Structure formats: C-alpha cells, structure tokens
Amino acid sequence: ILLPFLIPYRIVSDKYNLKRPENEVRAGSGLWSDWLRANQRSRWYGNLVPEDQHRGEHEVFPGLAALFFVAAAIVMTRRRALPRSAITHEPPHSRALRALDVAIAICGMLTILGAMAEPRIRLGAFGHVIFSIRGVDVPLTAVILLTLVRLSIRMPLALGGGEGRTLRDAMRDSRFDVGAWIAMLWIAIGVLGTLGMNAFLHAFLYQRIEAYESIRAPGRWAVIAFAGMAVWIALGVEALLERRIGMRRVALACVLVLATIIDVLPVIQWEQALSEVAPVYRFVDHERIGPVLEWPVDNWLAFRYLLGSTHHRVMLMNGSSGWEGPLYRLMRIAWDEQKFADSFTLAEQNGARLLIVHEHWMKDSSKVREALRQAVDAKRIAFLRRFDHGVEGDFVFAITRNFPEWQRLRAPEAPDGAGQLPEQQLAAFLAGEPTYSNTTFGRMESPEWFVKGPLHVKGWAISPRGVKEVNVLIDSGRRRYQALRTKRPEITKRYSWYFELDSGFELVLPERPRGVSTWTDVQIELVDGAGNVTLLEDQPIRWFDAD
C-alpha cells in the first residue's frame, strides 16, 4: 500500500543523498528513562521534569491513566472458559527442531560475545579474520526470529511441546486472544524502536535496510507502542467494567473516560499566523514567473516563504524541513558566509527568474545592499517594483540572464506617497533609507521569548491615516489591553512624511493575569484613523511568575 509513496522518497534520497549520519541518529536515540519523561506541554506531568532536562522527541511518557488501564488488563482479565484446543497437526521431525535449537544457541553466544567486544566482534585463525560482526544487532535479531520460528513449530516440552502444541495454540488457550498478543508485540517493537541505536532493533534496520537511514529521531517508534497500548487500555477498561451492571456500570464508564481525558490534557500555546496574503505573493500568483528565490536565505524564514507559496504555487528555490536539498544548502551556506556573488551565480545556473528581497527580515543588511548594488550595476539583476509588506517592504528583481523580457514587469513611472519614482525607491533602499508604505506598519520590540515577573510590551507603529489605537492582545486575543502612546522622536524623524507624533507605545502588566498559562503569546493590534485593523506578527512567550 505504501509503495507508491515510498518509491519517490527512494528516488529523491538516492539523487540527493538524503541519509542521516549515524551520529545524528544516535543523538535522536532514546533511553529506557524516556518512558518516564513527560512532555513539557503536559498539564499535569510537564512540571515534574526539571526545565533543563526536557528533551523534545525523547519525551514519550504515555500518562498514568494509560499505564493503569494496561496494568488492569494484565491483573484483572479472567481466564476464558474455553476448552483446551485440540492439536490437529502432526509434530514435526525432531531433527529440524534440534537444528533450530543449535542455531539459537550459537546466535545467543555471538550476541554475548558481540556485547563484550563492542563495536565489532572478530573471530579468526592463523592471522586471518574468518568471521566479523559489528555490534549485536544481527545475532540478537536472529535469536528472536529463530525463537519465534521454533515456538511456532513446537513449544518446549515443559510448556506442552510433547503434545505438539505451538505458540499459536498457547496464545489461543491463554487469557488473551491472538489479537491482544499481537498488540503486545506492537508495544514491544515500539518500545525497543524508541531506543534507536542504543538497542538492536533500530540499529539492525538502520544498518541493513536503506529506508531506515532517513529516520532522524527513533523516538517516533513510540507511535507503534501507543497503537498497541490502545488495545490493552480497552482490555483494561473491559476488565474494570466486567462485574458492574446498570447505572454503576454507566457511572464507572463515565469516570474512566473523564479520567483518561484529564490525564492527557495539554498546555496549548497558540500562535497567530497572519492570514492576509502579502501583496508580493499576489503579484507572483498573477504573473506566474518562476523559479523564485527569496532573501534572506534562512531556514526559519523558509517556512514563511512556504506559507506564501500556498497562495501562488510557483516553484521556490527556498524550502526547509528535516532536510536541505543540495542547491538550497549551497545557497544558505553562501548567505551565511556573505558570499552573495556566489548566490547570484547559483541562482543563474539553476534557472531562477525572480529575486524577492524582504528588507524588514534582514538583520544586517548593509552588505546585502552593497551586493545588490553591484549586481544591478553589472546588469545581473534588474529592479522591477516595490510592494508594501512589514516595515520596509519587499523589493522584486529580475535575474536578467534567465528572464530577458523583464522590462514588461517594471513598475509604472508614477510617484508614491512620498513623491518617489521607482528608481528613487531603489536608490533609497540601496542607501539604507526608508521608503514609503501605504499600509499601517510597526514593530513590537519587546517582550522576547522568556518573561519573568512584569510583562513589558514596547514598540512603535505608524500609518498614513494616523494610528488611532494600539491594543495588546494576550493569550490568543482572550485578553485585550490598550497601550499607552509615547513619543519616539527617532522613529518620527525616520518616517517623517507620516506626521505621526506619538509613534511609540508601551504597556506594563505587573503580573500574569489569572487563568493565563505560562505558555502564551503577545500580539499587537493597530487601528488607524479610518478604522482599519492591522495585526503585527505575534510573539510566543513563556511567562513565569516573579517568585
């Protein structure tokens, strides 16, 4: 069923060598203690783990309710009133069983020797290596598989093997049916898998089966364990309800459901993605010119670019997930090393036709501006137009080598609200000067990620129609506070054509409001003189009490 989906992954993995190195997989491998490590977003158990010991994908504690129900299934399930199943097959020849027993014993000894001689066991004679195994994954996997085969053919004599009974007969006659035992196998596989390279199962699959080389975090095997655990939770609930009848049964069932829900309640931190499509992406959608390269080249900003691509659906050269494609990796490295000429070369060689520069997302833009100036002078890129977005806007350039007809997309020679023509906008941008925006914009300068004690919200906002009101939204907008307007002469001077005297805003909340979680967010709502509402990007925060 999965083959049509896995084949493209195989092709891409081979073409771009998308394989996880062993040290990365080991870093994502769990320990037995991870099954007692609760996620920090758990309402009841998250605070039990010290703040510096949370380990993300290593936190697989399923909750006390789940463990209680599994224990109830094991302890309280009665033996079924079934007659001992009759043996309908002939016992196999004992020679085959003896051969399996010998093979199991040999593999067991190799497992012990392999564990003693990590990372590799070598057996040799007269100076020559006859036999070599790296780790215990192969012999231990062989022990388990051969044992299952042996028990499926005939159980040991002490467990009814003399009567020709098999593992399936034993499961059929036990307190639990075959389905329950298969679910228990899922639990065992999932738990062992989460240990990753610290146990034999994932190590064997990683080293022997190509597809498993692409898995970064073996902790995700926990999903398999949870699927099996769901069956045993149901068996536990069934055992608890078995002797109850009438309203007592209904009442207990309601209590169990409620306890299960309460046990897994999370602490949710909402984040407010701005739903309005940036004008530059409307332009890309209308013109359908691609591929598109967006600057800055940054893995976190790539997710913003991908969000924009859900509107225009034009091919991007930016993109990030658990992998980096080779071209994007080269571009990111060139960006990090400030080798912008190399980035232009890569874009030209790989067919990029448009370059979008998001000036308001660049931290230190002076060298970027100089690189853009040199590329414009060398006619490698040509300025097309500016679009309102954020504080400074988005600037679109054509990569002339791949888009020779770029002139048709140039902005009309019309002045903006500050009286600047397109070439003057470009000159101002390359000089690090502000350009006119016809939208309400601003910036929240504080808080950042962590807050302890009072919450200080500070920033500035400007609108061509005047800012009438600044509201601070907390906890996904459930709490609203009107900010105090303040004077910010440096902002008023930089954006002088807006005539915004009180461009700053501030708000101080002495303590976290009752009912607001430590995991919350802050967002700024701006209301201009015409009544239009603009939301700035939100800031998720951890807000701790002062004590």
Side-chain angles (χ1 to χ4, degrees):
I1 293 174
L2 293 176
L3 201 57
F5 302 94
L6 294 177
I7 289 176
Y9 278 100
R10 165 70 181 276
I11 294 172
V12 172
S13 178
D14 287 343
K15 184 173 182 178
Y16 298 121
N17 192 32
L18 300 182
K19 304 181 189 301
R20 303 289 182 182
E22 185 171 332
N23 61 342
E24 185 177 11
V25 179
R26 285 193 178 277
S29 299
L31 302 171
W32 291 105
S33 59
D34 289 351
W35 285 92
L36 294 177
R37 193 186 304 274
N39 189 279
Q40 59 182 341
R41 297 295 180 89
S42 169
R43 185 173 296 275
W44 312 117
Y45 310 116
N47 291 332
L48 298 179
V49 179
E51 190 71 25
D52 60 347
Q53 293 185 23
H54 283 291
R55 300 178 62 200
E57 291 160 320
H58 293 260
E59 300 168 340
V60 291
F61 178 63
L64 288 178
L67 298 178
F68 170 76
F69 289 135
V70 173
I74 296 172
V75 174
M76 300 181 63
T77 299
R78 299 183 179 186
R79 183 170 294 279
R80 296 174 296 165
L82 296 174
R84 188 176 175 85
S85 58
I87 304 303
T88 58
H89 47 79
E90 292 293 330
H93 198 279
S94 60
R95 289 183 180 177
L97 295 179
R98 297 292 79 80
L100 282 171
D101 291 340
V102 170
I104 292 170
I106 292 174
C107 290
M109 288 187 289
L110 290 175
T111 299
I112 296 172
L113 294 175
M116 295 170 60
E118 283 279 11
R120 183 178 293 276
I121 174 176
R122 291 184 176 88
L123 300 179
F126 306 107
H128 297 283
V129 176
I130 300 174
F131 186 79
S132 175
I133 294 180
R134 183 175 183 268
V136 302
D137 59 307
V138 172
L140 187 52
T141 302
V143 167
I144 294 175
L145 294 178
L146 290 173
T147 300
L148 289 175
V149 172
R150 169 62 165 88
L151 298 179
S152 298
I153 296 174
R154 194 173 76 183
M155 297 287 286
L157 295 177
L159 299 177
E163 305 171 16
R165 303 187 67 77
T166 67
L167 179 62
R168 188 174 184 86
D169 296 324
M171 288 192 297
R172 190 167 54 239
D173 294 335
S174 72
R175 291 184 298 151
F176 307 101
D177 60 18
V178 174
W181 286 111
I182 291 175
M184 182 59 74
L185 180 62
W186 278 50
I187 295 175
I189 290 173
V191 171
L192 283 173
T194 60
L195 304 180
M197 305 302 285
N198 296 324
F200 73 94
L201 177 60
H202 188 85
F204 173 81
L205 296 171
Y206 173 81
Q207 294 169 1
R208 303 306 187 284
I209 301 177
E210 186 179 16
Y212 287 87
E213 292 181 289
S214 299
I215 296 177
R216 176 182 61 83
R220 294 167 185 170
W221 278 92
V223 176
I224 303 296
F226 295 153
M229 195 176 292
V231 176
W232 282 81
I233 290 172
L235 293 173
V237 172
E238 183 181 38
L240 290 168
L241 296 177
E242 184 179 12
R243 297 185 180 182
R244 275 75 178 180
I245 59 174
M247 290 304 299
R248 289 186 177 182
R249 182 183 178 90
V250 173
L252 180 58
C254 292
V255 170
L256 296 180
V257 170
L258 185 61
T260 304
I261 294 173
I262 292 175
D263 190 62
V264 296
L265 283 177
V267 176
I268 299 175
Q269 183 176 36
W270 297 103
E271 296 188 35
Q272 319 300 319
L274 299 181
S275 59
E276 183 178 356
V277 179
V280 68
Y281 294 134
R282 298 185 189 277
F283 167 77
V284 174
D285 178 51
H286 181 268
E287 299 299 336
R288 315 302 301 170
I289 304 297
V292 174
L293 172 62
E294 300 191 52
W295 278 11
V297 181
D298 177 89
N299 281 346
W300 288 110
L301 289 176
F303 294 112
R304 298 179 185 269
Y305 306 155
L306 292 171
L307 179 60
S309 74
T310 63
H311 177 76
H312 60 71
R313 301 292 182 182
V314 173
M315 182 181 293
L316 285 180
M317 285 189 167
N318 307 76
S320 180
S321 66
W323 299 108
E324 287 182 326
L327 173 60
Y328 176 73
R329 185 185 303 114
L330 291 173
M331 287 189 168
R332 182 187 56 76
I333 293 173
W335 178 271
D336 292 342
E337 296 178 351
Q338 299 186 347
K339 297 179 179 178
F340 303 113
D342 293 349
S343 184
F344 284 127
T345 301
L346 288 168
E348 290 172 337
Q349 291 175 345
N350 289 275
R353 302 174 75 191
L354 291 184
L355 170 66
I356 300 175
V357 181
H358 304 276
E359 202 281 340
H360 51 285
W361 282 332
M362 290 193 294
K363 296 178 181 178
D364 182 10
S365 59
S366 58
K367 293 183 178 180
V368 177
R369 295 173 194 275
E370 181 58 31
L372 289 170
R373 184 194 309 278
Q374 293 176 5
V376 169
D377 292 343
K379 295 184 169 35
R380 299 182 74 180
I381 62 174
F383 177 61
L384 296 181
R385 57 184 66 195
R386 177 198 179 279
F387 292 91
D388 293 339
H389 187 197
V391 175
E392 301 293 355
D394 297 327
F395 292 80
V396 182
F397 297 85
I399 298 178
T400 55
R401 171 179 168 178
N402 301 323
F403 187 24
E405 66 275 20
W406 58 269
Q407 291 89 346
R408 67 180 179 84
L409 295 184
R410 293 195 66 177
E413 290 295 317
D416 60 15
Q420 292 181 332
L421 296 173
E423 287 301 321
Q424 293 173 309
Q425 292 176 347
L426 174 63
F429 165 58
L430 295 179
E433 299 173 357
T435 52
Y436 183 84
S437 176
N438 196 40
T439 62
T440 301
F441 61 95
R443 179 166 289 156
M444 180 171 60
E445 298 168 326
S446 66
E448 296 182 347
W449 285 95
F450 292 96
V451 176
K452 189 169 185 179
L455 174 70
H456 295 264
V457 181
K458 182 180 178 181
W460 55 269
I462 283 179
S463 174
R465 290 162 290 280
V467 178
K468 178 181 177 183
E469 190 175 305
V470 179
N471 298 312
V472 178
L473 311 183
I474 295 177
D475 201 31
S476 191
R478 295 182 180 89
R479 307 296 178 97
R480 300 172 60 90
Y481 305 90
Q482 188 167 350
L484 176 68
R485 304 296 301 282
T486 62
K487 295 187 181 302
R488 293 286 297 271
E490 77 283 10
I491 300 298
T492 302
K493 180 179 179 180
R494 179 173 176 81
Y495 304 99
S496 58
W497 48 74
Y498 295 103
F499 308 105
E500 194 76 63
L501 297 179
D502 296 329
S503 55
F505 60 82
E506 286 189 44
L507 174 72
V508 178
L509 295 179
E511 60 183 9
R512 181 160 46 89
R514 194 184 193 92
V516 174
S517 169
T518 56
W519 297 85
T520 187
D521 72 305
V522 180
Q523 189 173 32
I524 302 301
E525 177 189 78
L526 306 176
V527 182
D528 68 15
N532 301 314
V533 175
T534 300
L535 292 171
L536 302 186
E537 295 174 355
D538 78 323
Q539 174 63 59
I541 62 172
R542 295 286 308 277
W543 189 355
F544 299 98
D545 295 331
D547 54 358

